Amino acid sequence: MSAAAVKIEEDSFGTFYDEDLKATFPVRRFTLKISKNVTVRLINYGATITDIIVPDKNGALADVNLGFDNMDGYTKNWFNPYFGAIVGRVVNRTAFAKFTIKGETYHVSKNIGEHHLHGGFKGFDKKIWEVNVEDSKVTFSYVSKDGEEGYPGSLLVSASYSLNESNELLLEITATCTKPTPVNLTNHAYFNLAGHDKGLEGLNEHKVYINANSYTPAPEDAFIPTGEIKPVAGTYLDFTSPKWLRDEMPKAGIGFNNNYCVNISNPPTMTIVARVVHPPSGRLLEIYADKPALQFYTSNYLPTENELQGKGGSFYTKNGAFCLETQDYPDAANQPNFPTTVIVPGQIYKHNVRFHFGIQINAEESSSSCNIA
């Protein structure tokens, strides 16, 4: 199937008032659809994925990506879960909201206690991005100015989304800088292959495989890495063979929120990082990336009550979805044992992700898979 088989349509998703710029911007929505019944919707607020609609083994369609029906959901909820957005300039935690580059210490915003999370109070997920549509690709771009949230140098970021004939959503992220700066970007999609509105019951029906033999310990008081790298063998974090979440979730306390060290080459190349199957529906998600780490998160901090209303009037609650965030190691700017996340002028940050959606045959036994027909 050629790229021409992918249709891209644009409509409005409302407006966004930027308090810093004192201006109102149109929010543009783009629908990517392929003839195999895979549909993805994107908006230029946060370069966000709002919908991923895929069929099950019987052809029934469901949206497997958590999100909101309108801009009020993304901007006026008391709780912001970063649904489907590009997160940065640095994803995950930065210890005590500071880091040092070439002897100079930079202080970034403290938006989670004494620490820094997901780019600060107004990270990339809360910005209007410029858009360019060409052939089967939608490219969002954003300029993060020198000093934004405390980061050094301006950063030009682009995030390109496309669908291919194999029912894969492709994400290409690049960035260049004007001063040395840490960069660690990801897409923060929340998935539930049973359907976005199926909650914990649906989550427990998934089997998960993660291609990682080790992880970076991070105490649960603040999830700041200790700098160690430890094996997953013999722990509840071991997903090197597929495991049911209904069996593993009770072992994880409030749920999983852990960084895995992907079994990947050095320098990194595209590698499978995780495979998740939902046997009742047969839906399958495989994620490939060229980054050395993966944050596995089971939406532990969504509300416990029906307070966060999502698409179609559904309510999203604790442990109702999972995230598989491809990334560099968290807090790498403060951890000499971790690969650096600092880029310099003239260097191009690159991050490629492939989300493959398919159907698992004999899913109970995890035997074989096929593309969506």
Side-chain angles (χ1 to χ4, degrees), residues 70 251 268:
N70 51 52
K251 304 174 186 176

Side-chain angles (χ1 to χ4, degrees), residues 179-259:
K179 295 179 182 178
T181 182
V183 179
N184 192 3
L185 305 172
T186 195
N187 180 279
H188 209 310
Y190 286 65
F191 297 101
N192 190 323
L193 299 182
H196 73 97
D197 55 352
K198 299 305 181 184
L200 175 59
E201 182 178 354
L203 183 82
N204 280 333
E205 295 171 342
H206 292 73
K207 294 183 81 170
V208 175
Y209 160 77
I210 297 176
N211 181 24
N213 293 335
S214 55
Y215 72 106
T216 56
E220 292 187 4
D221 58 341
F223 294 101
I224 301 297
T226 63
E228 303 170 280
I229 297 175
K230 290 188 174 182
V232 297
T235 76
Y236 68 90
L237 298 174
D238 187 354
F239 285 91
T240 53
S241 60
K243 293 181 178 178
W244 288 101
L245 283 183
R246 65 188 179 212
D247 297 331
E248 303 308 310
M249 286 291 288
K251 304 174 186 176
I254 64 171
F256 291 90
N257 191 13
N258 305 91
N259 175 66

Side-chain angles (χ1 to χ4, degrees), residues 254-297:
I254 64 171
F256 291 90
N257 191 13
N258 305 91
N259 175 66
Y260 286 80
C261 307
V262 175
N263 299 328
I264 198 169
S265 61
N266 186 18
T269 57
M270 289 296 282
T271 301
I272 186 167
V273 296
R275 170 189 280 212
V276 182
V277 63
H278 179 252
S281 68
R283 293 190 184 98
L284 165 76
L285 170 62
E286 293 176 336
I287 298 180
Y288 299 79
D290 57 4
K291 284 298 178 182
L294 176 75
Q295 190 80 15
F296 178 41
Y297 173 58

